[in-house]
Amino acid sequence: MDWSALTLSLELAAWTTAILIPVGVLIGRTLALRKFMARSLVEALIALPLVLPPTVLGFYLLVAFGGASPLGKIYEALVGRPLVFSFQGLLLASLIFNLPFAVQPVQRAFESLPVQIREAAWCCGMTPWRTFRYIELPLVWTGMLSAIVLTFAHTLGEFGVVLMVGGNIPGETQTIAIAIYDRVQALQEQQAALMSAILLGFSFVMIGFIYYLSDRTRRNHVR
Amino acid sequence: MDWSALTLSLELAAWTTAILIPVGVLIGRTLALRKFMARSLVEALIALPLVLPPTVLGFYLLVAFGGASPLGKIYEALVGRPLVFSFQGLLLASLIFNLPFAVQPVQRAFESLPVQIREAAWCCGMTPWRTFRYIELPLVWTGMLSAIVLTFAHTLGEFGVVLMVGGNIPGETQTIAIAIYDRVQALQEQQAALMSAILLGFSFVMIGFIYYLSDRTRRNHVR
Amino acid sequence: MYADRNSGLQVRLQQILPIPLDAQLHCDMGELLVLVGPSGSGKSTILRCIAGLADAATGLVRFEDFVWLDTESGVRLSPQKRSVGLVFQHYALFPHLSALENITVVLDGLARNRRRADARELLELVNLNGLENRRPDELSGGQQQRLALARSLARDPDVLLLDEPFSAVDQITRRKLQRELARMRHHLELPIILVTHDLDEACVLADRMCILHRGETLQSGAPYEVMSRPQTETVARLVGLSNLFKGKVLGHDSVRQITLLDWAGYTLQCGHHPEVQPGQTVNWVVPPENVILHRRHRPSRGERENPVNGVISDFVVLGGDASITMLVNGDPHKPLSFSLSTHVAHRNGLGTGEHIRISLLAKGIHMML
Amino acid sequence: MYADRNSGLQVRLQQILPIPLDAQLHCDMGELLVLVGPSGSGKSTILRCIAGLADAATGLVRFEDFVWLDTESGVRLSPQKRSVGLVFQHYALFPHLSALENITVVLDGLARNRRRADARELLELVNLNGLENRRPDELSGGQQQRLALARSLARDPDVLLLDEPFSAVDQITRRKLQRELARMRHHLELPIILVTHDLDEACVLADRMCILHRGETLQSGAPYEVMSRPQTETVARLVGLSNLFKGKVLGHDSVRQITLLDWAGYTLQCGHHPEVQPGQTVNWVVPPENVILHRRHRPSRGERENPVNGVISDFVVLGGDASITMLVNGDPHKPLSFSLSTHVAHRNGLGTGEHIRISLLAKGIHMML
Amino acid sequence: ASADVPIVAAATSLNPALNEVAELFRNRTGGAVRVSYGSSGNIARQIIHGAPFEVFLSADENLVLSLVDRSLTIDGGSVYAIGRLALFVPHGSSIQSDNELRDVKTAVSDGRLQRLAIANPQHAPYGRAARQLLEQVGVWDRIEDKLVLGESASQAAQFAVTGSVDAAIFSYSLTLSAVISQRGTVTLLPEQWHQPVRHRMVLLKGAGRTATAFFSFMQEPATRHILATYGFTGPGASR
Ligand SMILES: Nc1ncnc2c1ncn2[C@@H]1O[C@H](COP(=O)(O)OP(=O)(O)OP(=O)(O)O)[C@@H](O)[C@H]1O
Ligand SMILES: Nc1ncnc2c1ncn2[C@@H]1O[C@H](COP(=O)(O)OP(=O)(O)OP(=O)(O)O)[C@@H](O)[C@H]1O
Ligand SMILES: [Mg+2]
Ligand SMILES: [Mg+2]
């Protein structure tokens, strides 16, 4: 079992989720509450990363982030090392790829928030931030939960983009998904099966626990 | 441009969405409205297909559907041709793989349905079916919209599972995602870029149109 | 207590948790029963139990020969099978449907045209014509409430359950709706249970009134009966009676058919209440209309009965009536209220601080244990 | 009309769409203004405009020296910046928070302990002690309403806007809350605008009353003033006046300070209304307390004024009062209502179908254009 | 640390042979390398976009040569192995294996062969070779619509081991893995029926000392031996 790959995957998934959920909340909330002309277009745009095969998306991201690209150049100038084939590059790709999963559920949750409740908060003198923090966030929590689970799980399993942008460097950009893939490719079925089982079991317990906790908090709210 | 691959992809996406949305509504509704002990576990289980790298998942599905498996044998006995490397096999794999996208948003939408509204429907003598059809469904529509878009887009872009279970047979199981991948691998970058652009443009228009329509219907409801 | 009667709607509910209930109701065909009780006493909960939206631990709900709920024999019909029309306290309209659709969607089995015609008729009944195409969130509070009322009728229910159905509409519309309800009641001959906080409304509409307190049905009967002859102090308070005091029974005079009561230094002669024991402390109440002012220039009928002195502490003129509160013997714990024609009050020079003398009519004094 | 006054809350709102508005309100510090109008007349909309939740096409909202809204100069403060406490008609409680939290969450800037103490105090004020930890959906309708009231006070607002704040609570609690409100009003000295459908409540609470009809403020003034001297027929109807008729002006007698009116074959002497022209058709109203029954055995004061004959069509005894409707000359289109002590009614042998004679007191007759 | 431990990018097909070589390299020289496996096409593309690889062991000679053209390499590199094709017939298949594909031809005609797995000839070297072989035998036209294309030879092998195809043609090296040999019969196919699959490796620009050492180590007899046991025959006369 390749523990370093699992750790790396979990790290990537955790970072992706941690960064993407706020972004998703921001974008989802804006799409839900502001009415603007191009809304349908922006919504469609966000779904687009899903449409390309991951490896191909990864290829284009590689081009976009690579040393020859403006982004890559700027990053390298600032940080001193290339963006691609690094954890940071992986993370960036992962963020782009998972955007739809973070935005959609949160947007729906904001859409189903009754207007009056926000109005009530304002009329009670609550600042927009307080309203957001204490009224809106708890009420869109289940939407965020979906976003968290989808993003987390999808990052764990993501392979095409990661392989392309990260370059499958053991200990650095080789995630568990790629490690399993390598084993399958090498026809090492037992090792692959073992790693898959561990990954599945781990994720199952983890996601189940997240759901359980959120269920309990929701029930606890009742008390 | 490989139009037959695009057509095939669209067909696959359409079928997957068409079959999966009812399933998602059924499962999502059950998870949302029924309280049972193992709910968190079932919810976690549904997210699991996301966790495995697609190619690996595809490999296991190939094992599960293949001529040596009970499912494969039964299918072949009934239909007279193997399940794997066929459109049907592809569809089945796609259904399994997209399950979380179809269930999650719909489940959230059902969860945010006020109890009183369903109760009011019952007290008006509406049958469970009528309640579902005329009250619940329209009110969870945006959740279904998310489910539709995510499932549709994700099926278009899916590649690992499809390649494994489908076997890349032109005109039969070669989707646009695989076709683009092949071009990229064969270093036919211009062709790949063209196909990607067409796929992206097409999806953008299509998804944008879905959103636009749903926006308009929601507004029309107002009149 | 109604277990042997088999007509109309019979309800018996008992439970401890989550909300204590110990309720017994009966509502005949064509009868309008008003359920009155303080906020949180369980009125909505009882309606929900009848409709099948909540379950009592033990209980029976029967409409005519149909058993809707019988916890003993395990019968429990679904809400759909209980033909009730329920107006929810918070309306619970279908938010995605127009006013018209909110009703047509309920009218199953009819042809489309017929449905729309029926729905329009119902909307007209509640004065909502012209607003057919508005969604609930585009209606005012009162309009929403009326829509909820119209929808509850759409099913053509056997039993009508109305949870404060007029609380949000203005008095003119309210009167119209009350009239419609009265008309309908005689027309359709169905049991109607109505929850209200408006005792005037209760008195005007109710055939019978039932007082609920902490989930328990305390007393039911004709509104006037309940209001003037409450069985307990609690009921008296709940129906908003003023002039509620405690006194000590001195004894009975069975010849003159009176009971004597010691109160505030007076010996009051009251209607005969043989059930109270001499020496016992009882609650008693005297309705304002049985309080008679001793006028300055001409003696009134009944001035000899139970004369009581006091000082006016409150004198409010409201239109043709003056409402007066008098402190008996000047004691701020013994306020006694009554009202008079404004011109009588002025003629007698009444005003805050004036000393006056009144009589409590013996037959108006009601005692409770 | 209040444009020059700079104290309290001043509101001027005009628009055509989506909801027609033409409203002018003023509410002084410590004053309680009751907004009355039929369902759908725009009461909630006006409160929303004041609170900043809705915008009028043109208008001005000013509190003391602070301009909250001025469409001309483009000022438009956000709801947070307008220090209002608003009780929503549908409460709009925070569903995920307990009763206590619903209030503490609003109390920004205070220490945690202080917040909880303040919140508990507010809950006590509205009789919700003991229910601190319940979520809104575990509270009854009236409890929710009281929580909304408590929450609106938490902010310590400069202006209180109450949209039917007592519609769902029982009379005892309502009276308590009304008393609290009255106390608070004198204590806090803030303008309070209250929407209600209950005219009695309006009369009891209001310093001034404002009548709204189709978005237009028709008349405002002291409740008794508005109720007894409506400026138009519409206002008269809206405040629920009965005995509203049309008559023709015959002329004025400036010596006796009366105006003569032709109605139903009678020549009525009325208080002097120099503003009406002879020959003009006017609306007039006579409050029930200015209707005097000609008693059988002893003549009453004022019997010579405007005697009118009729037949009793409706005779309802409610407690000490009997409410009587008489058809003037037997004409079903001319019903005249008044009330009497029950015992007077009985002594005079009144009952449905009886022919009686009454007088309309001249000074009680009010004319409108 | 990465300066001391160069990353060797290698074709997937070298897994697990290369792991053993790296192990031996460490034992012999004390130098460590990290191996990043991938499809040769992907690796080449990554190198173009600046991947920090120092040695590239490709399954496809052309890809290396294209990198050489782009001056991304130190020199032209060298061929480290020649790949062969094998026919794999899973147990239970009605196809008889022989090294001239006679029964395959018959089976195509009589319909016994429904699915034949090969790597994608568009971009996988063993796919190209398989196509040449099938053309050589003269069944390409008839068999084209019965092909199941793997992304790589390895994926073609995966199709085969799951029993989903009637036969498969992929690299001989893969057939040596236990999974394959247990699940069917393997026949080595004649090498003259297709162009040799030349595996070329190259030192990339910026390669350090360890990488250079590893590059040389790849050409040592001990390494050749290991590769041979995994089915990669040495370049021998072909160079
Ligand atoms: N889910 C719940 N859990 C615990 N207590 C509840 C729950 N729902 C309601 N209650 C309590 O049950 C009691 C009865 O509620 P109910 O709604 O029947 O009162 P009500 O008589 O209709 O009052 P109102 O006149 O205010 O509408 C209330 O005290 C309420 O707080
Ligand atoms: N979104 C909307 N679009 C169009 N009309 C609306 C909308 N919202 C409310 N209205 C209409 O505006 C009018 C005024 O509504 P408002 O809620 O102010 O009435 P209200 O006086 O508060 O009535 P109520 O006493 O019934 O609460 C109503 O006739 C209502 O139907
Ligand atoms: Mg209630
Ligand atoms: Mg309103």
Side-chain angles (χ1 to χ4, degrees):
Chain A
M1 178 62 200
D2 191 343
W3 293 109
S4 76
L6 181 60
T7 316
L8 186 76
S9 274
L10 290 178
E11 242 171 74
L12 183 66
W15 273 105
T16 306
T17 312
I19 297 178
L20 213 46
I21 293 303
V23 174
V25 168
L26 196 76
I27 300 181
R29 184 173 183 280
T30 309
L31 286 176
L33 302 183
R34 298 221 189 296
K35 306 278 161 241
F36 49 94
M37 284 294 290
R39 205 162 62 107
S40 305
L41 297 186
V42 175
E43 285 183 279
L45 207 61
I46 287 172
L48 281 194
L50 285 182
V51 169
L52 280 187
T55 326
V56 176
L57 178 69
F59 171 60
Y60 290 126
L61 290 181
L62 187 60
V63 174
F65 298 172
S69 74
L71 179 64
K73 279 191 188 125
I74 293 173
Y75 184 90
E76 198 159 349
L78 288 176
V79 181
R81 35 176 304 193
L83 180 55
V84 286
F85 309 112
S86 70
F87 184 78
Q88 287 74 17
L90 219 57
L91 184 57
L92 188 56
S94 182
L95 290 176
I96 292 174
F97 193 49
N98 281 300
L99 195 59
F101 302 132
V103 171
Q104 287 259 1
V106 177
Q107 179 183 346
R108 296 304 166 221
F110 271 104
E111 278 172 357
S112 70
L113 212 69
V115 196
Q116 291 94 319
I117 290 189
R118 305 175 63 233
E119 292 183 342
W122 301 337
C123 281
C124 289
M126 291 174 74
T127 58
W129 168 250
R130 247 183 110 73
T131 306
F132 174 72
R133 169 70 187 79
Y134 292 103
I135 308 299
E136 294 177 10
L137 266 198
L139 288 173
V140 299
W141 164 239
T142 56
M144 285 171 62
L145 187 69
S146 275
I148 290 171
V149 168
L150 289 179
T151 305
F152 193 87
H154 193 254
T155 310
L156 281 189
E158 178 33 32
F159 148 79
V161 174
V162 169
L163 181 64
M164 208 64 205
V165 175
N168 192 9
I169 304 170
E172 211 163 317
T173 59
Q174 186 181 75
T175 62
I176 185 81
I178 301 181
I180 297 178
Y181 173 78
D182 277 355
R183 301 296 185 287
V184 172
Q185 289 289 313
L187 299 177
Q188 299 170 337
E189 286 188 6
Q190 283 181 358
Q191 280 195 46
L194 177 70
M195 287 169 81
S196 298
I198 291 179
L199 177 60
L200 283 176
F202 198 88
S203 312
F204 182 66
V205 170
M206 187 125 149
I207 298 174
F209 191 64
I210 294 179
Y211 279 125
Y212 171 76
L213 270 192
S214 96
D215 239 40
R216 239 192 33 166
T217 5
R218 260 180 290 170
R219 251 187 245 125
N220 263 358
H221 247 141
V222 173
R223 282 304 84 223
Chain B
M1 178 63 200
D2 190 344
W3 294 109
S4 76
L6 181 60
T7 316
L8 186 77
S9 274
L10 291 177
E11 242 171 74
L12 183 65
W15 274 104
T16 305
T17 312
I19 297 178
L20 213 47
I21 293 304
V23 174
V25 168
L26 196 75
I27 300 180
R29 185 175 183 278
T30 309
L31 286 176
L33 302 183
R34 298 220 190 293
K35 307 277 162 239
F36 49 94
M37 284 293 292
R39 205 161 62 108
S40 306
L41 297 186
V42 175
E43 286 182 280
L45 207 61
I46 287 173
L48 281 193
L50 285 182
V51 168
L52 281 187
T55 330
V56 177
L57 179 68
F59 177 71
Y60 290 126
L61 289 181
L62 194 59
V63 173
F65 298 172
S69 73
L71 179 64
K73 279 191 188 123
I74 293 172
Y75 183 90
E76 197 158 352
L78 288 177
V79 181
R81 33 177 303 192
L83 181 55
V84 289
F85 309 128
S86 71
F87 184 77
Q88 286 75 17
L90 218 57
L91 184 57
L92 187 56
S94 181
L95 290 176
I96 293 175
F97 192 51
N98 282 300
L99 195 58
F101 302 132
V103 171
Q104 288 258 1
V106 177
Q107 180 183 346
R108 296 304 165 219
F110 271 104
E111 278 171 357
S112 69
L113 212 68
V115 197
Q116 291 93 318
I117 289 189
R118 304 174 63 233
E119 291 183 343
W122 301 337
C123 282
C124 289
M126 291 174 76
T127 58
W129 168 250
R130 248 182 110 75
T131 306
F132 175 73
R133 169 71 188 76
Y134 291 103
I135 309 300
E136 295 177 10
L137 266 199
L139 288 173
V140 300
W141 166 239
T142 56
M144 285 171 63
L145 188 68
S146 275
I148 289 171
V149 168
L150 289 180
T151 305
F152 193 87
H154 193 255
T155 310
L156 282 188
E158 178 34 31
F159 149 78
V161 173
V162 168
L163 182 62
M164 206 68 207
V165 176
N168 194 6
I169 303 170
E172 207 163 322
T173 60
Q174 186 182 78
T175 62
I176 184 80
I178 300 181
I180 297 178
Y181 175 80
D182 283 348
R183 300 295 187 288
V184 170
Q185 289 293 314
L187 298 182
Q188 301 169 340
E189 291 187 2
Q190 282 182 357
Q191 278 195 46
L194 178 70
M195 286 169 82
S196 297
I198 290 179
L199 177 60
L200 283 177
F202 199 87
S203 312
F204 182 66
V205 170
M206 189 126 146
I207 298 174
F209 191 65
I210 294 179
Y211 278 126
Y212 171 75
L213 270 191
S214 96
D215 238 38
R216 237 191 36 166
T217 7
R218 262 181 287 168
R219 251 187 244 125
N220 263 358
H221 248 139
V222 172
R223 285 300 86 222
Chain C
M1 61 197 189
Y2 301 112
D4 51 315
R5 292 173 61 182
N6 226 355
S7 76
L9 181 73
Q10 290 160 52
V11 180
R12 202 159 28 91
L13 301 167
Q14 255 118 23
Q15 70 178 16
I16 311 292
L17 281 174
I19 299 149
L21 276 187
D22 182 7
Q24 206 147 31
L25 298 173
H26 175 257
C27 187
D28 252 326
M29 302 304 282
E31 192 176 57
L32 195 151
L33 175 71
V34 168
L35 205 54
V36 176
S39 176
S41 58
K43 303 180 295 296
S44 301
T45 308
I46 288 181
L47 294 198
R48 287 174 61 84
C49 285
I50 298 175
L53 298 176
D55 265 332
T58 58
L60 176 83
V61 177
R62 181 153 72 184
F63 171 68
E64 298 275 279
D65 290 332
F66 306 103
V67 175
W68 286 356
L69 173 78
D70 186 351
T71 46
E72 246 172 68
S73 60
V75 177
R76 185 194 182 284
L77 292 196
S78 69
Q80 283 98 337
K81 297 231 176 81
R82 311 180 181 194
S83 176
V84 300
L86 173 57
V87 173
F88 288 75
Q89 196 167 7
H90 299 308
Y91 322 151
L93 298 170
F94 304 131
H96 59 299
L97 298 178
S98 72
L100 191 72
E101 289 166 339
N102 255 282
I103 298 179
T104 49
V105 78
V106 170
L107 297 166
D108 198 2
L110 297 178
R112 186 146 178 281
N113 277 344
R114 179 65 197 290
R115 279 217 301 268
R116 296 177 70 88
D118 280 14
R120 271 176 209 284
E121 213 167 277
L122 283 168
L123 285 180
E124 202 149 322
L125 185 75
V126 296
N127 261 1
L128 282 183
N129 19 352
L131 303 180
E132 289 89 350
N133 296 325
R134 293 265 187 86
R135 283 194 321 184
D137 63 359
E138 297 169 312
L139 294 174
S140 79
Q143 288 162 348
Q144 290 177 28
Q145 193 172 42
R146 284 178 274 152
L147 179 55
L149 184 64
R151 190 184 61 178
S152 77
L153 296 171
R155 180 190 195 173
D156 205 354
D158 287 340
V159 172
L160 207 49
L161 305 174
L162 310 173
D163 203 346
E164 308 192 27
F166 308 129
S167 66
V169 298
D170 58 287
Q171 288 194 346
I172 297 175
T173 316
R174 178 184 298 212
R175 251 180 254 138
K176 175 182 181 274
L177 291 176
Q178 290 174 347
R179 266 201 308 277
E180 281 299 338
L181 195 64
R183 198 182 57 75
M184 215 156 50
R185 171 156 59 107
H186 292 122
H187 187 61
L188 299 177
E189 280 279 313
L190 37 78
I192 304 180
I193 301 185
L194 185 144
V195 168
T196 185
H197 285 121
D198 185 342
L199 285 169
D200 294 340
E201 184 173 271
C203 289
V204 171
L205 290 177
D207 295 312
R208 277 189 317 115
M209 182 157 128
C210 177
I211 308 291
L212 193 72
H213 185 57
R214 301 205 178 142
E216 199 180 340
T217 45
L218 294 182
Q219 185 176 354
S220 51
Y224 182 71
E225 174 72 20
V226 174
M227 304 274 288
S228 62
R229 307 230 157 264
Q231 281 164 11
T232 60
E233 188 199 351
T234 316
V235 174
R237 280 195 201 290
L238 290 179
V239 298
L241 294 190
S242 44
N243 303 345
L244 184 62
F245 306 100
K246 275 191 198 319
K248 194 147 144 210
V249 179
L250 292 175
H252 301 285
D253 182 338
S254 48
V255 180
R256 287 164 63 204
Q257 281 287 309
I258 56 172
T259 299
L260 294 176
L261 200 63
D262 175 32
W263 174 71
Y266 300 99
T267 299
L268 300 182
Q269 304 179 0
C270 315
H272 196 40
H273 281 77
E275 74 279 8
V276 297
Q277 305 295 324
Q280 203 173 4
T281 299
V282 293
N283 292 293
W284 65 274
V285 66
V286 58
E289 63 263 26
N290 288 307
V291 179
I292 306 285
L293 177 75
H294 292 205
R295 305 194 183 182
R296 224 155 261 189
H297 307 299
R298 52 180 180 188
S300 289
R301 163 199 63 111
E303 281 196 359
R304 252 144 331 167
E305 286 178 41
N306 303 324
V308 168
N309 296 317
V311 188
I312 295 180
S313 67
D314 220 17
F315 182 87
V316 179
V317 174
L318 263 177
D321 282 332
S323 138
I324 295 163
T325 305
M326 169 188 109
L327 302 182
V328 174
N329 301 343
D331 181 350
H333 297 298
K334 298 207 170 59
L336 214 146
S337 308
F338 60 101
S339 65
L340 275 180
S341 303
T342 310
H343 61 87
V344 173
H346 285 309
R347 206 153 356 122
N348 285 275
L350 300 192
T352 312
E354 292 289 322
H355 285 258
I356 55 169
R357 192 175 169 87
I358 50 124
S359 272
L360 307 177
L361 297 185
K363 74 166 172 41
I365 295 179
H366 172 66
M367 281 179 213
M368 302 154 278
L369 289 176
Chain D
M1 59 198 187
Y2 301 110
D4 52 315
R5 293 173 60 181
N6 226 357
S7 77
L9 181 74
Q10 290 160 52
V11 180
R12 202 161 28 90
L13 301 167
Q14 255 119 22
Q15 69 178 17
I16 310 290
L17 281 173
I19 298 150
L21 276 187
D22 182 7
Q24 207 148 30
L25 298 174
H26 174 258
C27 187
D28 251 326
M29 302 304 283
E31 191 175 59
L32 195 151
L33 175 72
V34 168
L35 204 54
V36 176
S39 176
S41 59
K43 303 181 295 296
S44 301
T45 308
I46 287 180
L47 294 197
R48 287 174 60 84
C49 285
I50 298 175
L53 298 177
D55 264 333
T58 59
L60 175 84
V61 177
R62 181 153 71 183
F63 172 68
E64 299 275 279
D65 290 331
F66 307 102
V67 175
W68 286 357
L69 172 79
D70 186 351
T71 46
E72 247 172 65
S73 60
V75 177
R76 184 193 182 282
L77 292 197
S78 69
Q80 283 97 336
K81 298 231 176 84
R82 311 180 182 195
S83 177
V84 300
L86 174 57
V87 173
F88 287 76
Q89 194 167 9
H90 299 309
Y91 321 152
L93 298 169
F94 305 131
H96 59 300
L97 299 178
S98 72
L100 192 72
E101 290 166 337
N102 255 281
I103 297 178
T104 49
V105 78
V106 170
L107 298 167
D108 198 0
L110 297 177
R112 187 144 177 281
N113 278 343
R114 179 66 198 288
R115 280 217 300 269
R116 295 177 70 89
D118 280 13
R120 271 176 210 284
E121 210 168 277
L122 283 168
L123 285 180
E124 202 150 320
L125 186 76
V126 296
N127 261 0
L128 282 182
N129 19 352
L131 303 181
E132 289 88 351
N133 295 324
R134 294 265 187 89
R135 282 195 321 183
D137 63 359
E138 298 169 311
L139 294 174
S140 79
Q143 289 163 347
Q144 290 177 27
Q145 193 171 42
R146 284 177 275 153
L147 180 54
L149 184 64
R151 189 183 60 178
S152 76
L153 297 171
R155 181 188 194 173
D156 205 354
D158 288 339
V159 172
L160 206 49
L161 305 174
L162 310 173
D163 202 348
E164 308 192 26
F166 308 129
S167 66
V169 298
D170 57 288
Q171 287 193 346
I172 297 175
T173 316
R174 179 184 299 212
R175 251 179 255 139
K176 175 183 181 276
L177 292 176
Q178 290 174 348
R179 266 198 310 273
E180 281 299 337
L181 196 63
R183 197 182 56 75
M184 211 154 52
R185 171 154 61 106
H186 293 118
H187 187 60
L188 300 178
E189 280 280 310
L190 38 77
I192 304 180
I193 301 184
L194 184 144
V195 169
T196 184
H197 285 122
D198 185 340
L199 284 170
D200 295 340
E201 184 172 87
C203 289
V204 171
L205 289 176
D207 296 311
R208 279 190 316 114
M209 181 158 130
C210 177
I211 307 291
L212 193 73
H213 184 59
R214 301 206 178 140
E216 198 180 341
T217 45
L218 295 181
Q219 185 176 352
S220 50
Y224 181 72
E225 175 70 21
V226 174
M227 304 273 288
S228 62
R229 307 230 158 265
Q231 281 164 10
T232 60
E233 187 199 351
T234 316
V235 174
R237 278 193 203 292
L238 291 179
V239 297
L241 294 190
S242 44
N243 303 344
L244 185 61
F245 306 101
K246 275 192 196 323
K248 194 150 147 208
V249 178
L250 290 175
H252 302 286
D253 183 336
S254 48
V255 179
R256 286 163 63 204
Q257 281 289 311
I258 56 171
T259 299
L260 295 175
L261 199 64
D262 177 31
W263 174 71
Y266 299 100
T267 299
L268 301 183
Q269 303 177 359
C270 315
H272 196 40
H273 281 77
E275 73 280 8
V276 299
Q277 305 296 323
Q280 204 175 3
T281 298
V282 294
N283 293 292
W284 65 275
V285 67
V286 59
E289 63 264 26
N290 287 308
V291 178
I292 305 287
L293 177 72
H294 292 205
R295 304 193 184 184
R296 223 156 263 188
H297 307 299
R298 52 180 179 190
S300 290
R301 162 199 64 109
E303 283 199 355
R304 253 147 328 168
E305 285 179 41
N306 303 324
V308 168
N309 297 316
V311 188
I312 294 179
S313 68
D314 222 14
F315 181 86
V316 180
V317 173
L318 262 179
D321 282 332
S323 137
I324 295 163
T325 304
M326 168 190 110
L327 303 181
V328 173
N329 300 343
D331 181 348
H333 297 299
K334 298 207 169 58
L336 212 147
S337 309
F338 60 101
S339 65
L340 276 179
S341 304
T342 310
H343 61 86
V344 173
H346 284 310
R347 204 148 5 114
N348 285 274
L350 300 192
T352 311
E354 290 291 321
H355 285 258
I356 55 170
R357 192 174 168 88
I358 50 124
S359 272
L360 307 177
L361 297 185
K363 73 164 173 46
I365 293 179
H366 171 69
M367 282 180 214
M368 300 153 279
L369 289 177
Chain E
S2 51
D4 309 315
V5 187
I7 304 165
V8 174
T12 309
S13 51
L14 284 172
N15 191 358
L18 199 60
N19 290 345
E20 201 168 309
V21 174
E23 182 76 24
L24 184 67
F25 175 66
R26 196 154 53 98
N27 292 340
R28 290 273 174 90
T29 70
V33 295
R34 286 182 289 172
V35 187
S36 164
Y37 294 104
S39 87
S40 302
N42 279 347
I43 294 171
R45 198 164 294 103
Q46 286 168 334
I47 290 169
I48 292 172
H49 287 97
F53 304 145
E54 296 182 26
V55 185
F56 176 25
L57 307 176
S58 174
D60 189 346
E61 179 170 39
N62 296 336
L63 291 170
V64 172
L65 297 178
S66 83
L67 292 182
V68 173
D69 287 346
R70 289 169 185 256
S71 325
L72 292 164
T73 61
I74 286 177
D75 57 13
S78 67
V79 172
Y80 61 91
I82 304 280
R84 302 265 317 255
L85 284 176
L87 172 69
F88 172 79
V89 179
H91 294 315
S93 169
S94 59
I95 313 284
Q96 307 290 316
S97 36
D98 59 82
N99 67 356
E100 285 167 12
L101 300 183
R102 276 190 297 266
D103 193 49
V104 171
K105 277 189 277 185
T106 334
V108 171
S109 313
D110 65 20
R112 273 181 296 130
L113 189 139
Q114 287 300 322
R115 293 293 180 210
L116 175 72
I118 63 171
N120 194 332
Q122 270 186 298
H123 50 78
Y126 286 101
R128 265 198 311 275
R131 175 178 179 160
Q132 289 162 359
L133 183 115
L134 290 169
E135 280 169 347
Q136 182 71 27
V137 177
V139 289
W140 176 255
D141 292 338
R142 279 179 294 147
I143 214 167
E144 205 179 344
D145 60 348
K146 303 197 169 14
L147 292 178
V148 174
L149 302 182
E151 176 195 6
S152 59
S154 173
Q155 199 165 30
Q158 289 167 40
F159 288 145
V161 296
T162 58
S164 311
V165 290
D166 303 305
I169 297 174
F170 47 82
S171 56
Y172 174 66
S173 62
L174 285 168
T175 63
L176 297 180
S177 102
V179 194
I180 296 284
S181 45
Q182 284 162 10
R183 296 191 192 166
T185 20
V186 173
T187 317
L188 189 64
L189 295 171
E191 60 183 319
Q192 65 275 19
W193 286 10
H194 59 87
Q195 283 180 4
V197 182
R198 283 139 64 104
H199 298 261
R200 183 176 285 272
M201 62 182 178
V202 70
L203 270 173
L204 297 165
K205 282 260 170 76
R209 286 213 341 269
T210 317
T212 316
F214 185 75
F215 188 81
S216 332
F217 187 73
M218 278 300 290
Q219 294 162 338
E220 284 183 13
T223 311
R224 288 266 155 87
H225 180 70
I226 294 176
L227 291 178
T229 57
Y230 281 94
F232 298 98
T233 41
S238 303
R239 178 64 213 253

